[in-house]
Amino acid sequence: MLFKNAVRFRFLLVGLLLVSFATPAMAQNNDPWEPVNKRIYTLNDYLDTLILRPLAISYNTLVPPPVRAGIGNFIYNINDVNVMANNLLQFKFKDAASDSGRILINTTVGLGGLFDVATKAGLERHQEDFGQTLGYWGVKPGPYMVLPLFGPSNLRDTLGFGVDSYVNPIRQIENDAARTALYGVIQIDTRATTIQIENMMFGDEYLFVKEAYLQQRQYLVSDGEVFDDF
């Protein structure tokens, strides 16, 4: 399927692993719109099979690994601006300062973000978005949703995705063709990184992706703290 939010789904593997260890208390689904969600999921899967997956496979085959790594670093560097803003909104000032340092170092020494010099310098990469910020301040996730073209979400994260997209630095690119091309490269690069985890899916694919998404989001909102009634 077509994946929502290019950087977020680089962390889908976290969700896949969490599904393997999920407890009943962690696996609350809240999917009241399941019939509609399944139809949209089927459409997304069809479009992915027809367009995005073949492009991603060709991208992995034709683009050398160092170039793909550079593109991935560039994407992360852009997203670090959103990450820094959301860390500030969550009062995580130490992390926000680290994010600021990452942006400065990778944009300058790292040649526009093509090289991740900051991580080698000891500045950890963080993963924050506005959906997580809303969760941090107590906003509930709401019903599970599958968005056309963008894939799994929930009511809270859909709002967060809209805000993050609006403030993303890519929106500041005035040339429509260049902005659209960059979005396309990000989408293909992100899909290419998920090819390797497709074999981890088992059973009902819709259910598996839903559980992976819900567990991953819970994991990120709670900063890795998984609560179990047991």
XYZ file of all heavy atoms in Angstrom, residues 48-103:
434
model
N -0.468 0.346 -4.947
C 0.901 0.047 -4.569
C 1.484 -1.042 -5.471
O 2.605 -0.931 -5.962
C 0.953 -0.402 -3.111
C 2.352 -0.795 -2.675
O 3.191 0.103 -2.512
O 2.610 -2.007 -2.516
N 0.708 -2.107 -5.678
C 1.157 -3.212 -6.527
C 1.368 -2.756 -7.963
O 2.308 -3.187 -8.638
C 0.121 -4.359 -6.497
O -0.061 -4.794 -5.141
C 0.576 -5.531 -7.342
N 0.506 -1.845 -8.408
C 0.549 -1.391 -9.795
C 1.658 -0.373 -10.056
O 2.305 -0.402 -11.106
C -0.807 -0.785 -10.176
C -0.990 -0.342 -11.629
C -0.987 -1.561 -12.559
C -2.285 0.456 -11.788
N 1.888 0.512 -9.075
C 2.770 1.654 -9.337
C 3.965 1.720 -8.387
O 5.121 1.636 -8.820
C 1.965 2.973 -9.248
C 0.796 2.970 -10.237
C 2.881 4.164 -9.494
C -0.142 4.146 -10.080
N 3.679 1.878 -7.101
C 4.742 2.266 -6.177
C 5.738 1.146 -5.918
O 6.954 1.378 -5.902
C 4.133 2.749 -4.853
C 5.097 3.444 -3.896
C 5.803 4.616 -4.576
C 4.357 3.923 -2.658
N 5.256 -0.073 -5.731
C 6.181 -1.173 -5.430
C 7.149 -1.442 -6.585
O 8.351 -1.606 -6.354
C 5.406 -2.435 -5.062
C 6.291 -3.546 -4.492
C 5.464 -4.745 -4.028
N 6.296 -5.711 -3.316
C 7.051 -6.621 -3.909
N 7.065 -6.707 -5.236
N 7.781 -7.457 -3.191
N 6.666 -1.500 -7.853
C 7.618 -1.682 -8.960
C 8.649 -0.553 -9.033
O 9.824 -0.816 -9.316
C 6.714 -1.686 -10.197
C 5.384 -2.145 -9.693
C 5.255 -1.566 -8.317
N 8.209 0.684 -8.756
C 9.159 1.802 -8.758
C 10.186 1.629 -7.645
O 11.374 1.902 -7.838
C 8.410 3.125 -8.581
C 7.604 3.632 -9.783
C 6.827 4.878 -9.399
C 8.519 3.918 -10.969
N 9.721 1.168 -6.475
C 10.625 0.983 -5.335
C 11.647 -0.117 -5.622
O 12.828 0.010 -5.279
C 9.826 0.657 -4.088
N 11.202 -1.211 -6.250
C 12.118 -2.309 -6.588
C 13.157 -1.834 -7.604
O 14.351 -2.133 -7.472
C 11.324 -3.516 -7.127
C 10.473 -4.128 -6.008
C 12.270 -4.562 -7.709
C 9.555 -5.232 -6.471
N 12.710 -1.082 -8.603
C 13.643 -0.541 -9.595
C 14.626 0.429 -8.943
O 15.818 0.444 -9.274
C 12.865 0.185 -10.701
O 12.016 -0.721 -11.390
N 14.129 1.207 -8.017
C 14.974 2.160 -7.284
C 16.063 1.423 -6.513
O 17.243 1.796 -6.569
C 14.072 2.960 -6.347
C 14.768 3.934 -5.429
C 15.137 5.197 -5.866
C 15.013 3.598 -4.094
C 15.754 6.105 -5.006
C 15.631 4.488 -3.233
C 15.993 5.742 -3.689
O 16.592 6.631 -2.833
N 15.686 0.343 -5.822
C 16.678 -0.446 -5.079
C 17.679 -1.111 -6.006
O 18.852 -1.301 -5.654
C 15.983 -1.518 -4.239
C 15.464 -0.980 -2.920
O 15.903 0.056 -2.446
N 14.514 -1.678 -2.333
N 17.225 -1.481 -7.210
C 18.087 -2.191 -8.161
C 19.047 -1.245 -8.871
O 20.229 -1.570 -9.056
C 17.224 -2.927 -9.204
O 16.349 -3.834 -8.535
C 18.095 -3.685 -10.188
N 18.544 -0.085 -9.261
C 19.309 0.811 -10.132
C 20.122 1.866 -9.387
O 21.158 2.307 -9.886
C 18.356 1.506 -11.118
C 17.559 0.587 -12.044
C 16.594 1.395 -12.891
C 18.503 -0.213 -12.946
N 19.660 2.254 -8.212
C 20.351 3.327 -7.476
C 21.346 2.700 -6.507
O 20.965 1.879 -5.665
C 19.344 4.200 -6.709
C 20.069 5.301 -5.940
C 18.332 4.812 -7.671
N 22.612 3.049 -6.589
C 23.633 2.460 -5.705
C 23.325 2.744 -4.232
O 22.789 3.804 -3.895
C 24.927 3.161 -6.143
C 24.644 3.664 -7.530
C 23.184 3.994 -7.561
N 23.671 1.811 -3.347
C 23.406 1.996 -1.908
C 23.918 3.310 -1.333
O 23.201 3.941 -0.539
C 24.094 0.782 -1.277
C 24.049 -0.265 -2.344
C 24.221 0.475 -3.626
N 25.137 3.782 -1.688
C 25.583 5.062 -1.119
C 24.683 6.229 -1.513
O 24.467 7.149 -0.713
C 26.995 5.232 -1.703
C 27.444 3.851 -2.037
C 26.212 3.142 -2.488
N 24.160 6.176 -2.739
C 23.260 7.246 -3.183
C 21.938 7.161 -2.428
O 21.386 8.180 -1.987
C 23.025 7.159 -4.704
C 22.020 8.223 -5.149
C 24.336 7.321 -5.453
N 21.421 5.941 -2.248
C 20.182 5.776 -1.482
C 20.368 6.245 -0.047
O 19.473 6.863 0.534
C 19.731 4.310 -1.502
C 19.371 3.784 -2.881
C 18.447 2.585 -2.806
N 18.944 1.524 -1.957
C 19.702 0.506 -2.377
N 20.061 0.434 -3.644
N 20.084 -0.440 -1.532
N 21.539 5.948 0.524
C 21.817 6.395 1.893
C 21.824 7.916 1.967
O 21.291 8.504 2.920
C 23.151 5.827 2.364
N 22.396 8.558 0.979
C 22.424 10.020 0.944
C 21.035 10.617 0.841
O 20.716 11.608 1.502
N 20.200 9.999 0.010
C 18.820 10.477 -0.132
C 18.069 10.301 1.180
O 17.333 11.193 1.623
C 18.117 9.725 -1.279
C 18.737 10.109 -2.627
C 16.617 10.037 -1.282
C 18.229 9.303 -3.791
N 18.264 9.144 1.823
C 17.625 8.915 3.115
C 18.074 9.927 4.152
O 17.246 10.460 4.918
N 19.359 10.225 4.197
C 19.872 11.222 5.133
C 19.278 12.601 4.852
O 18.960 13.360 5.781
C 21.400 11.298 5.043
C 22.076 10.061 5.602
O 21.534 9.367 6.458
N 23.273 9.776 5.111
N 19.157 12.930 3.583
C 18.572 14.213 3.186
C 17.126 14.332 3.675
O 16.709 15.378 4.189
C 18.636 14.346 1.660
C 18.021 15.609 1.133
C 18.697 16.819 1.247
C 16.769 15.590 0.519
C 18.132 17.999 0.751
C 16.201 16.759 0.031
C 16.890 17.960 0.143
N 16.365 13.243 3.537
C 14.977 13.224 3.997
C 14.915 13.409 5.509
O 14.105 14.188 6.033
C 14.291 11.914 3.570
C 14.176 11.832 2.049
C 12.908 11.790 4.220
C 13.739 10.476 1.528
N 15.778 12.683 6.219
C 15.815 12.810 7.673
C 16.152 14.240 8.087
O 15.600 14.772 9.056
C 16.859 11.860 8.263
C 16.360 10.463 8.517
C 16.976 9.359 7.921
C 15.284 10.231 9.370
C 16.532 8.070 8.173
C 14.843 8.947 9.623
C 15.464 7.866 9.025
O 15.022 6.588 9.268
N 17.075 14.856 7.370
C 17.498 16.206 7.742
C 16.347 17.204 7.599
O 16.185 18.096 8.446
C 18.684 16.642 6.869
C 19.356 17.895 7.398
O 19.721 17.980 8.571
N 19.527 18.886 6.538
N 15.555 17.045 6.555
C 14.378 17.896 6.394
C 13.395 17.652 7.532
O 12.872 18.587 8.147
C 13.700 17.628 5.034
C 14.603 18.083 3.886
C 12.347 18.336 4.960
C 14.067 17.737 2.514
N 13.173 16.388 7.844
C 12.202 16.047 8.885
C 12.658 16.492 10.268
O 11.825 16.713 11.160
C 11.954 14.541 8.899
C 10.789 14.156 9.785
O 9.650 14.520 9.531
N 11.068 13.419 10.849
N 13.969 16.628 10.469
C 14.467 17.060 11.766
C 13.924 18.430 12.163
O 13.843 18.746 13.361
C 16.002 17.081 11.777
C 16.602 15.712 12.092
O 15.867 14.844 12.602
O 17.804 15.502 11.820
N 13.556 19.248 11.190
C 12.958 20.552 11.502
C 11.616 20.347 12.210
O 11.329 20.977 13.235
C 12.766 21.385 10.218
C 12.060 22.704 10.534
C 14.109 21.646 9.546
N 10.788 19.442 11.672
C 9.515 19.118 12.322
C 9.733 18.465 13.681
O 9.015 18.742 14.644
C 8.691 18.186 11.434
C 8.036 18.902 10.270
O 8.710 19.630 9.549
N 6.751 18.710 10.082
N 10.728 17.578 13.745
C 11.025 16.885 14.996
C 11.410 17.894 16.078
O 10.930 17.825 17.218
C 12.160 15.860 14.795
C 12.612 15.285 16.131
C 11.708 14.734 13.879
N 12.253 18.851 15.722
C 12.675 19.870 16.683
C 11.475 20.669 17.188
O 11.333 20.901 18.395
C 13.694 20.815 16.044
C 14.152 21.937 16.967
S 15.271 23.107 16.142
C 14.144 23.848 14.929
N 10.598 21.070 16.264
C 9.426 21.855 16.648
C 8.536 21.069 17.596
O 8.033 21.619 18.595
C 8.647 22.266 15.402
N 8.335 19.797 17.323
C 7.469 18.988 18.183
C 8.114 18.685 19.530
O 7.413 18.583 20.542
C 7.067 17.701 17.458
C 5.950 17.935 16.452
O 4.817 18.201 16.823
N 6.276 17.860 15.176
N 9.421 18.560 19.567
C 10.091 18.410 20.858
C 9.931 19.666 21.704
O 9.752 19.592 22.920
C 11.573 18.076 20.665
C 11.843 16.575 20.613
O 11.196 15.808 21.321
N 12.775 16.165 19.787
N 9.970 20.825 21.065
C 9.730 22.069 21.793
C 8.305 22.122 22.337
O 8.074 22.524 23.486
C 9.991 23.273 20.876
C 11.449 23.593 20.556
C 11.535 24.675 19.494
C 12.190 24.031 21.817
N 7.340 21.701 21.518
C 5.942 21.709 21.947
C 5.698 20.730 23.094
O 4.757 20.890 23.866
C 5.031 21.362 20.768
C 4.924 22.423 19.660
C 4.135 21.885 18.481
C 4.286 23.700 20.195
N 6.542 19.717 23.204
C 6.431 18.741 24.298
C 7.363 19.086 25.468
O 7.502 18.295 26.405
C 6.751 17.332 23.778
C 5.775 16.833 22.723
C 6.173 15.487 22.158
O 6.608 14.593 22.883
N 6.026 15.308 20.841
N 7.976 20.274 25.409
C 8.886 20.726 26.464
C 10.088 19.805 26.635
O 10.676 19.741 27.711
C 8.155 20.888 27.796
C 7.095 21.960 27.797
C 6.174 22.033 28.817
C 7.025 22.894 26.773
C 5.193 23.029 28.821
C 6.051 23.893 26.759
C 5.135 23.955 27.789
N 10.474 19.113 25.580
C 11.674 18.276 25.618
C 12.838 19.112 25.082
O 13.303 18.941 23.955
C 11.476 17.010 24.783
C 10.334 16.120 25.284
C 10.116 14.928 24.356
C 8.967 14.053 24.824
N 8.698 12.928 23.869
N 13.265 20.045 25.895
C 14.203 21.054 25.430
C 15.585 20.478 25.119
O 16.269 20.945 24.202
C 14.303 22.174 26.463
C 12.991 22.875 26.711
C 12.409 22.874 27.965
C 12.331 23.515 25.680
C 11.202 23.509 28.193
C 11.121 24.160 25.889
C 10.548 24.151 27.150
N 16.007 19.481 25.878
C 17.297 18.852 25.605
C 17.287 18.181 24.237
O 18.243 18.319 23.460
C 17.619 17.841 26.700
C 18.967 17.166 26.519
C 19.250 16.171 27.655
C 20.585 15.477 27.462
N 20.869 14.501 28.559
N 16.210 17.460 23.948
C 16.098 16.803 22.637
C 16.000 17.835 21.525
O 16.572 17.650 20.442
C 14.876 15.886 22.611
C 15.073 14.625 23.438
O 16.221 14.370 23.866
O 14.079 13.899 23.664
N 15.255 18.919 21.770
C 15.119 19.974 20.760
C 16.469 20.619 20.465
O 16.783 20.930 19.303
C 14.117 21.021 21.226
N 17.281 20.822 21.517
C 18.614 21.383 21.305
C 19.478 20.427 20.479
O 20.234 20.849 19.592
C 19.275 21.667 22.650
N 19.343 19.124 20.761
C 20.068 18.125 19.983
C 19.623 18.141 18.526
O 20.451 18.061 17.606
C 19.849 16.730 20.594
O 20.460 15.729 19.800
N 18.300 18.270 18.314
C 17.771 18.338 16.950
C 18.315 19.555 16.216
O 18.677 19.480 15.035
C 16.240 18.415 16.971
C 15.593 17.200 17.610
O 16.185 16.109 17.520
O 14.509 17.342 18.201
N 18.378 20.683 16.924
C 18.918 21.901 16.324
C 20.367 21.708 15.911
O 20.783 22.130 14.817
C 18.794 23.059 17.323
O 19.356 24.245 16.795
N 21.131 21.043 16.780
C 22.518 20.749 16.444
C 22.640 19.825 15.249
O 23.514 20.002 14.393
N 21.748 18.839 15.190
C 21.752 17.916 14.055
C 21.521 18.673 12.750
O 22.217 18.456 11.753
C 20.663 16.854 14.229
C 20.958 15.776 15.250
C 19.846 14.725 15.234
N 19.690 14.169 13.894
C 20.440 13.181 13.399
N 21.367 12.635 14.150
N 20.253 12.736 12.176
N 20.524 19.551 12.759
C 20.201 20.304 11.539
C 21.380 21.163 11.111
O 21.746 21.207 9.925
C 18.948 21.174 11.772
C 17.732 20.287 12.039
C 18.693 22.075 10.564
C 16.525 21.044 12.572
